[in-house]
Amino acid sequence: MATIKKDIRALSKEQLREFFVAEGDQAFRGNQVYEWLWSKGVHSFDDMTNISLKTREMLENNFIINHIAVDQIQRSSDGTIKNAVKLHDGLVVESVLIPTAKRTTACVSSQVGCSLDCKFCATARLKRMRNLNPGEIYDQVVAIDRESRLYHDRPLSNIVFMGMGEPLMNYNNVIKAIDKITSEEGLGMSPKRITVSTSGVPKMIKKMADDGVKFKLAVSLHSAIDEVRTSIMPFNATFPLADLREALEYWYAKTKNRITYEYVVWKGINDSKKDVDALVAFCKFAPSKVNLIEYNPIDDGDFQQADDSALELYINTLEANNITVTVRRSRGKDIDAACGQLANKH
Ligand code: SAH
């Protein structure tokens, strides 16, 4: 009977150590193999040069190493790079490298497609096919780090989970990936340089607070009025703002970490004084700041970036209420790499 080979990267370090002990080898062998798989990122057992040939053959007979392959690289005139990443089963996700003067940020995907239905987001048009596993999330970061060194002469400095998918609907795998990214055997990156962006799943925000996570939280708010938010982010009907508010208050009480609200201002949708006042009131529930994002058009005419006067009203009112506000310019628009444009168009 043919045995189905397991993905060796689905094993924790402890499980690998136990595997070697069960094979009559030393637990330490597990550490060595783990290091090859994660910090050195090899794609073949043959590359594990300090492991004996016999052991490599035994591993080959028992396991496969699932890994991603960067299928296509697109480079924007502003230095942004978008990777189309092929997974072992042929599905594709996208990740983006965004260089600025001070940092290079990787924007990574957590799911193939997305189960949410935000009306302004191109990824929402692809239905959710599956969750990414921890290795597939980790590998996107490694690939971007390599490109950052190659094209921009510096390592990756930050990671945002703002690519395809809703990270809190693939929570366990995202956490496992972040553990690897931050561990010394992985990339040794500080969790303070990692931001998880969510459309706001109250139960999971509370769980994150209980788990004592150290990364930053961003919430795609876009409106602090239920009726408006539900019209553009229909899942808000299931997770209304009152529940989100309660979860965010809980998050802050437990973590003392300030929340970032991501917010696009659209013409005729959320550009009135009433919308601004509702946001100001929402910001007072827990220490927070607002990141105004420029709208990146997707292929329909329903949404349009608001006039500058509306943006000014937001900025002035927020500042008058002592709420920090930043404006994020789009990057990589010419290659469909900007927020909300990831849709495997190629
Ligand atoms: N599901 C997560 C992460 C992916 S979206 C979330 O909702 O936060 C990353 C960010 O891009 C979110 O803030 C999202 O609201 C924003 N976004 C989506 N479509 C956009 C568009 N067309 N233009 C600008 N921002 C967009």
Side-chain angles (χ1 to χ4, degrees):
M1 197 179 80
T3 47
I4 296 167
K5 293 187 191 177
K6 229 180 134 175
D7 177 16
I8 191 167
R9 298 205 315 165
L11 300 187
S12 66
K13 187 158 84 179
E14 208 34 59
Q15 288 169 324
L16 262 182
R17 288 165 56 88
E18 283 162 15
F19 171 81
F20 279 103
V21 172
E23 288 288 320
D25 200 335
Q26 295 168 50
F28 169 71
R29 199 76 59 224
N31 297 27
Q32 287 178 315
V33 169
Y34 192 84
E35 197 184 332
W36 280 113
L37 291 172
W38 295 102
S39 51
K40 295 182 182 146
V42 297
H43 289 177
S44 150
F45 294 111
D46 284 339
D47 294 336
M48 301 183 174
T49 46
N50 64 353
I51 306 294
S52 76
L53 202 60
K54 201 165 143 255
T55 305
R56 280 187 251 158
E57 272 169 16
M58 182 274 290
L59 289 172
E60 188 80 56
N61 291 334
N62 283 280
F63 297 107
I64 49 165
I65 306 177
N66 276 346
H67 58 83
I68 64 163
V70 177
D71 206 27
Q72 189 191 27
I73 302 179
Q74 281 175 278
R75 299 180 66 190
S76 158
S77 53
D78 67 17
T80 302
I81 294 174
K82 180 166 84 171
N83 287 342
V85 166
K86 199 177 226 162
L87 309 172
H88 67 88
D89 54 4
L91 292 172
V92 175
V93 292
E94 295 177 331
S95 28
V96 183
L97 163 68
I98 307 146
T100 63
K102 287 203 192 120
R103 24 169 100 170
T104 46
T105 302
C107 174
V108 300
S109 295
S110 55
Q111 298 180 312
V112 186
C114 190
S115 56
L116 300 181
D117 44 8
C118 304
K119 300 292 179 205
F120 46 81
C121 180
T123 308
R125 312 246 163 116
L126 311 168
K127 67 175 190 339
R128 190 195 77 95
M129 313 279 281
R130 70 169 171 88
N131 286 337
L132 295 186
N133 66 40
E136 291 166 335
I137 298 170
Y138 179 88
D139 285 354
Q140 291 177 67
V141 176
V142 171
I144 296 275
D145 182 47
R146 213 169 276 152
E147 287 166 7
S148 179
R149 290 166 198 270
L150 181 66
Y151 296 111
H152 297 283
D153 276 330
R154 52 189 172 168
L156 187 64
S157 65
N158 295 74
I159 301 172
V160 293
F161 282 81
M162 294 186 190
M164 295 172 154
E166 170 49 51
L168 297 196
M169 295 198 167
N170 184 18
Y171 181 74
N172 290 340
N173 290 350
V174 166
I175 292 294
K176 281 187 194 157
I178 292 178
D179 282 348
K180 295 234 154 67
I181 293 164
T182 53
S183 81
E184 281 312 318
E185 282 146 342
L187 301 177
M189 192 181 251
S190 163
K192 295 197 182 84
R193 295 178 171 277
I194 301 175
T195 301
V196 169
S197 175
T198 176
S199 45
V201 187
K203 194 176 75 190
M204 299 313 292
I205 292 173
K206 284 189 180 170
K207 172 151 176 50
M208 277 196 322
D210 288 338
D211 288 349
V213 300
K214 296 280 183 296
F215 49 77
K216 292 187 187 159
L217 173 64
V219 174
S220 304
L221 193 61
H222 301 308
S223 174
I225 301 173
D226 269 316
E227 200 189 355
V228 178
R229 195 165 192 259
T230 300
S231 74
I232 54 178
M233 302 169 83
F235 70 88
N236 185 69
T238 318
F239 306 124
L241 288 163
D243 295 359
L244 180 59
R245 166 194 173 168
E246 196 219 326
L248 293 171
E249 285 170 339
Y250 186 87
W251 161 269
Y252 186 77
K254 282 231 156 174
T255 66
K256 293 285 173 285
N257 262 335
R258 164 166 101 147
I259 303 144
T260 298
Y261 295 124
E262 296 159 272
Y263 204 102
V264 178
V265 188
W266 289 284
K267 204 176 196 146
I269 291 177
N270 57 356
D271 59 352
S272 75
K273 178 140 192 328
K274 196 177 153 209
D275 297 291
V276 182
D277 292 342
L279 175 61
V280 168
F282 198 88
C283 285
K284 292 192 172 159
F285 297 144
S288 50
K289 66 172 194 166
V290 174
N291 192 350
L292 292 176
I293 312 178
E294 200 181 331
Y295 175 56
N296 303 305
I298 57 172
D299 308 327
D300 73 16
D302 287 353
F303 290 91
Q304 238 183 307
Q305 170 75 35
D307 295 335
D308 285 349
S309 60
L311 278 181
E312 272 162 34
L313 181 65
Y314 267 97
I315 294 168
N316 295 338
T317 317
L318 287 164
E319 284 180 344
N321 283 276
N322 297 317
I323 299 159
T324 307
V325 51
T326 52
V327 179
R328 195 203 297 163
R329 297 256 157 255
S330 285
R331 302 290 305 270
K333 257 199 222 176
D334 54 342
I335 54 168
D336 283 326
C339 285
Q341 292 187 316
L342 301 183
N344 294 341
K345 258 199 196 165
H346 61 286

